Amino acid sequence: MLNRAGKLLSMALVLLLSACGKQEETVKVVSPPSVSVITAEQISMEVREETIGSLEGMMDPTVAAEVSGRVLKVLVRQGQHVKKGQEIALLNPVDYQLQRREALSEVARLEALLENQQRSVERNARLVERNFISQIVLDDVKTQEIALRRQLEGAKSRLASIEHNQSKTRLLSPVDGTVESRLVAEGDYVKVGDPLFQIISNQRLRAHLPFPESIASSIRPGLEVRLNTPTSSVEIVSRIRELKPAIGAGNRAIDVLADVEDQPGWHTGASVSGVVVLGVRENVVVVPEQSVVLRPAGEVVYAISQDQAQAHQRVVRTGLRQDGMVEIIDGIQAGEQIVLDGAAFLTDGARISVQKEMSVQADS
C-alpha cells in the first residue's frame, strides 16, 4: 500500500510541475516593434513640372549636286565622321576646265582691244587739241572704248561664273558631323539638285518638350529648363526658346522648345527629360515618403509621444512630392517626431521601441 501511495504522489507532482511550466509559457511578454524616427522639418521646395520629349537636329543637311557631272571619286563612307570643309566627293571637272580656257581667251582678246582703243583715244584727243579733227570723232572712239570696257567686264563675270561652277565639282561637307547615308557611287552621272549625302550633326539640337495644357499660362520663353538624356551623364541647363502656338491634337500638350549646343554625347532623335522650375515654396513642412502610409481614414503619419513609447495616427493632407520627400500641408507641424521605418506596420496608439533617430537632411 505504501509503495502504491508513493507512486501516486510522484505522478501528481509531475503533473503539477508540467501544468506550471505551461502556465509560464502562456504569460510570456511580447516586446513592442522597433522603429526609427525622424523630425518633420521646414525647407524650401521648387514647384517643378517634368516631362519627356525628344531631340531634333537643327543642322542635318542633305548634300546635293550644285552642278551636273559624272562622279569621279567618293571619299567618305557611311558612318564616317567628317569635318566642315572636308572633301567628300569629286565630280569630273573637264567640261568646266575647257569653258574656263575659252573664257580666259575671250578676256585676253577684249583686254588687247581695249588697250588699243585707249591709245586711239589718246591720239585723237591730241589731234582735237590741235584742231586737226572734230570733237565728234573723239566722242566716237571714246564710246567704242566704253563698249569694250563693258564687254570685258561681262567676259570676266562669265569667267568667274565658270570658275565658281568648277569649284563645285569638289563637294565639301557643310558641317561637322557623321555621314548618315551615301546616295551616290563612283561613275554615276548626277544633275543639279540630286541628293548625294545625308550628314547628321549634333552640334546644335532642339529639345521638344510636351507639357500639359493646364500649365500653359505658367510657362513662358526665358524660363530655365534642366535637360537630361540617356546617352549622356551631363545635365544641361538651357532656357525655353519658344512655345508652339497650337496645342497637340493627340496629347493635348503644348510643345516647348529649348536649344542644346555643342554637347558631347547628345544625339539627334534621342529622348530627353525636361524639368521647368515654375516657382519656389518657402518654409514647407516635409517628411520622407515612407513615413506616409495609406489607411481607411486616408493618408496618415504616426507621431511619437513625448516618452517615445507610443505612436499616434495623424491624418495628413499632402502636396508636392520631390526627391523622396512629401509636403505636409496639414496634420503635422515642423519639429514633431514621426515614425520613419516601420510605419506601415503600426496602428493608432501602438506601443513602440525607438531604435534610431534620423534627420531629413541625412535621410534625403
Side-chain angles (χ1 to χ4, degrees):
M1 290 294 291
L2 288 173
N3 291 337
R4 185 176 182 183
K7 291 180 179 179
L8 291 172
L9 182 58
S10 298
M11 291 177 64
L13 290 171
V14 171
L15 291 173
L16 181 60
L17 292 172
S18 177
C20 290
K22 289 181 179 180
Q23 186 175 2
E24 290 177 358
E25 291 178 1
T26 58
V27 297
K28 186 179 292 183
V29 178
V30 179
S31 60
S34 298
V35 297
S36 62
V37 299
I38 195 168
T39 302
E41 297 187 12
Q42 285 184 326
I43 64 172
S44 298
M45 290 189 77
E46 294 177 337
V47 181
R48 306 174 188 168
E49 191 67 35
E50 301 182 16
T51 189
I52 295 179
S54 61
L55 292 171
E56 172 196 11
M58 299 301 296
M59 299 171 61
D60 299 337
T62 298
V63 180
E66 297 184 67
V67 294
S68 300
R70 192 167 301 281
V71 179
L72 285 181
K73 186 174 292 186
V74 177
L75 303 174
V76 294
R77 63 184 183 280
Q78 188 173 354
Q80 180 177 338
H81 183 75
V82 294
K83 294 289 187 180
K84 181 178 181 179
Q86 178 179 338
E87 280 190 352
I88 54 178
L90 298 176
L91 303 183
N92 193 336
V94 172
D95 289 344
Y96 300 100
Q97 290 172 349
L98 295 175
Q99 292 175 21
R100 181 175 180 273
R101 290 178 185 174
E102 181 181 356
L104 284 171
S105 297
E106 179 66 10
V107 168
R109 184 182 74 83
L110 290 171
E111 286 178 341
L113 290 175
L114 179 61
E115 184 179 353
N116 183 64
Q117 190 66 24
Q118 287 173 338
R119 289 195 295 267
S120 178
V121 168
E122 292 173 356
R123 286 195 300 270
N124 282 275
R126 289 194 296 269
L127 293 175
V128 168
E129 291 175 356
R130 299 175 184 178
N131 295 321
F132 289 160
I133 61 174
S134 68
Q135 183 66 36
I136 296 175
V137 176
L138 178 60
D139 292 341
D140 184 59
V141 293
K142 283 185 176 180
T143 301
Q144 294 179 27
E145 179 191 10
I146 294 172
L148 285 172
R149 197 179 298 278
R150 296 293 180 266
Q151 290 180 35
L152 179 59
E153 291 174 356
K156 287 182 176 180
S157 296
R158 287 193 294 273
L159 174 61
S161 177
I162 292 170
E163 291 176 339
H164 181 62
N165 287 335
Q166 182 180 345
S167 70
K168 293 178 180 179
T169 61
R170 298 171 58 248
L171 276 75
L172 309 178
S173 174
V175 294
D176 292 348
T178 303
V179 179
E180 174 71 12
S181 56
R182 193 186 83 173
L183 308 174
V184 68
E186 293 180 5
D188 289 347
Y189 184 85
V190 296
K191 301 183 295 298
V192 176
D194 286 349
L196 307 180
F197 300 91
Q198 175 72 43
I199 298 177
I200 300 296
S201 173
N202 294 316
Q203 285 184 305
R204 186 179 178 190
L205 305 176
R206 177 159 293 173
H208 289 259
L209 304 170
F211 284 97
E213 58 183 346
S214 58
I215 66 165
S217 59
S218 302
I219 295 182
R220 62 186 184 278
L223 279 181
E224 184 178 280
V225 57
R226 302 169 190 166
L227 302 175
N228 288 277
T229 185
T231 59
S232 175
S233 60
V234 179
E235 180 180 79
I236 302 303
V237 178
S238 184
R239 293 195 176 274
I240 294 177
R241 178 183 178 86
E242 61 180 293
L243 285 70
K244 286 194 173 179
I247 302 295
N251 56 6
R252 297 301 174 191
I254 184 168
D255 192 8
V256 175
L257 308 179
D259 290 344
V260 178
E261 297 187 4
D262 292 327
Q263 293 299 328
W266 290 64
H267 300 286
T268 298
S271 63
V272 59
S273 60
V275 178
V276 173
V277 179
L278 301 177
V280 178
R281 291 187 187 175
E282 303 290 346
N283 301 322
V284 174
V285 178
V286 294
V287 299
E289 286 182 341
Q290 60 264 44
S291 294
V292 182
V293 295
L294 190 61
R295 293 288 185 263
E299 290 183 310
V300 303
V301 169
Y302 287 97
I304 305 299
S305 60
Q306 290 186 353
D307 59 2
Q308 294 193 333
Q310 279 186 298
H312 299 286
Q313 178 177 296
R314 299 273 192 86
V315 179
V316 296
R317 188 157 57 97
T318 60
L320 295 174
R321 295 174 181 261
Q322 290 178 12
D323 304 325
M325 306 303 293
V326 180
E327 176 191 9
I328 303 299
I329 298 175
D330 187 32
I332 289 291
Q333 300 296 321
E336 291 190 79
Q337 284 193 320
I338 61 172
V339 176
L340 178 62
D341 296 318
F345 306 103
L346 299 179
T347 57
D348 188 24
R351 306 290 296 182
I352 58 172
S353 173
V354 176
Q355 296 297 316
K356 188 177 182 181
E357 294 188 17
M358 305 183 70
S359 65
V360 171
Q361 290 84 353
D363 185 64
S364 59

